[in-house]
Amino acid sequence: MRSVGANDKQHRRSMNTTPPNVLIVPEAFDASDGAKTPFGQRWGGEVIHLSADHLAASRAGQTLAVDVRSEYVVFLKAEKSESDI
């Protein structure tokens, strides 16, 4: 398996063929210690539970900030649907 270099990544972005970074999966999967996942190898993961209030805030246009392992922050935004326009 060949590694993906910076030029390959830039080419994929320019061709709009970048793999998705959000997937709908039936349940959480092992994403630790180099496990193979739909995103490639990963070394950690965690389950974040969203409340009805979180979902309502997102649908209302607010951004959710999620602390990941006290090291990273992931920002979640809901896309507007045609009924919101």
Side-chain angles (χ1 to χ4, degrees), residues 22-77:
V22 176
L23 295 175
I24 297 171
V25 298
E27 60 185 289
F29 49 81
D30 178 29
S32 61
D33 299 321
K36 292 181 182 177
T37 77
F39 303 108
Q41 274 188 297
R42 294 296 184 263
W43 286 264
E46 79 183 66
V47 175
I48 309 284
H49 296 271
L50 301 177
S51 69
D53 289 341
H54 294 133
L55 296 173
S58 179
R59 287 188 191 109
Q62 294 182 298
T63 301
L64 304 179
V66 180
D67 181 53
V68 180
R69 297 185 174 213
S70 300
E71 189 169 346
Y72 304 99
V73 177
V74 173
F75 298 96
L76 304 174
K77 293 188 70 70

